[in-house]
Amino acid sequence: MSHHLVEVESLRHVYPDGTVALRDVSFRITHGESVAIIGANGAGKSTLLLHLNGYLAPTAGAVRVGDLSLTKKTLPEIRRRVGMVFQEPDDQLFMPTVYEDVAFGPVNLGLSDPEVEVRVKEALERVGVAHLRDRPPYRLSGGEKKRVAIATVLSMAPDILVMDEPTNGLDPFARRRLIELLADFRHTKIFTSHDLDMVLDLCERTIVLHDGEVRADGPTREIFRDVGLLAACRLEKPLSMQGCPVCGARPLQDV
C-alpha cells in the first residue's frame, strides 16, 4: 500500500523573519505505523506537521506521500490522502451544525448527497458522536469538539491521519476516551504531543526533534530510557515510567 507511505527528505523551513524552524529533517513512515514526533516547545513539531499536507511549503527538501511528490499540482490529492487534525478544533469547525462540518469535505470532493450522508453517518458513529449531528459546534465540550474534528477528517477517507497535540486541553476522562478511539484506528498515524504517556500507549516509534533537527528516531521505549537524550532535548520520561519521588516506589511501567 504505497499510498500510505510518508517520506520527508532533507526538509528545511525558514520563516520570513529568518527563524530556521527545520534543518534537514529526513524520515520514512510506512503503512500502518503509529509514530510520535516529540520535542520541547519551539522544536519544530507543528511546523513539520504543516508540511505533510501542504499547509506550509518547504524552503528546501521534499515531501512525498506514496508515489506523489508534494507540489501545487498534487496538493489536492495529497490533502485527500493526508487528513490533518489541528491542535485547536475551533480552527476546523466553522459550519452551523456538526453534520455540515463533517459533510464539508465530502461535498467538496463532488460526492452525491446519498454518498455524503453515508460518509457523515459512518464518521460520526466511528468517533461516538452521532447524537450530536444537529448541534452547533460552539455548544460542544472540548472532548466533543476533538471527536467531531476527527470525524471531519475521517469523512474524507484519508490514508494517513496527522494530529497536532490531540489530548491538549482535555480532562482525564475525555483524554482516555480519545486514546481508546485512536488505538482502534488502523490508519497510518502521526502525532505531535507533550503527553508522553499517550505516546507510550499509542506509538511504537518516536522521532525526537530539537532545534529543528532529528536527534533520535527509534522504538519509543528505548527513546524514553535514554535519560541523557531526554535531558539534552528538554524532555522527561512519561510519568508512568518515573518512580515515586516520595516513597521510592517502582514506576508503573516496569521497563
Side-chain angles (χ1 to χ4, degrees), residues 57-166:
T59 304
V63 174
R64 177 180 289 273
V65 177
D67 56 352
L68 295 179
S69 293
L70 200 156
T71 65
K72 288 183 179 180
K73 182 178 180 180
T74 64
L75 189 55
E77 176 61 17
I78 294 287
R79 287 185 175 172
R80 194 204 65 74
R81 294 184 184 186
V82 181
M84 177 79 178
V85 181
F86 294 99
Q87 184 174 156
E88 297 297 334
D90 290 335
D91 290 342
Q92 60 194 109
L93 302 178
F94 51 85
M95 299 295 282
T97 67
V98 165
Y99 180 93
E100 291 169 283
D101 261 321
V102 180
F104 183 83
V107 167
N108 281 276
L109 287 176
L111 300 184
S112 67
D113 288 346
E115 289 174 312
V116 170
E117 174 68 29
V118 169
R119 289 280 190 100
V120 174
K121 182 175 183 292
E122 289 180 348
L124 290 176
E125 287 178 350
R126 191 168 185 187
V127 300
V129 293
H131 61 292
L132 300 176
R133 59 177 283 157
D134 297 321
R135 292 269 297 275
Y138 69 85
R139 290 189 176 176
L140 304 180
S141 69
E144 290 169 339
K145 286 182 179 180
K146 285 277 189 183
R147 286 174 171 257
V148 172
I150 295 171
T152 67
V153 171
L154 296 183
S155 67
M156 299 282 286
D159 301 315
I160 298 155
L161 182 63
V162 175
M163 301 187 71
D164 192 5
E165 296 287 350

Side-chain angles (χ1 to χ4, degrees), residues 86 187 201:
F86 294 99
H187 293 76
D201 283 344

Side-chain angles (χ1 to χ4, degrees), residues 38 196 200 204 206 208 216 218-231 235-238 241-242 250-251 253-255:
I38 67 172
L196 300 187
L200 197 60
E204 292 185 357
T206 293
V208 181
T220 297
R221 288 184 176 275
E222 290 185 13
I223 295 288
F224 288 154
R225 289 190 190 108
D226 191 334
V227 177
L229 169 70
L230 296 180
L235 297 168
E236 295 184 348
K237 287 183 178 182
M241 290 179 66
Q242 298 181 26
R250 291 175 61 84
Q253 295 281 348
D254 187 6
V255 297

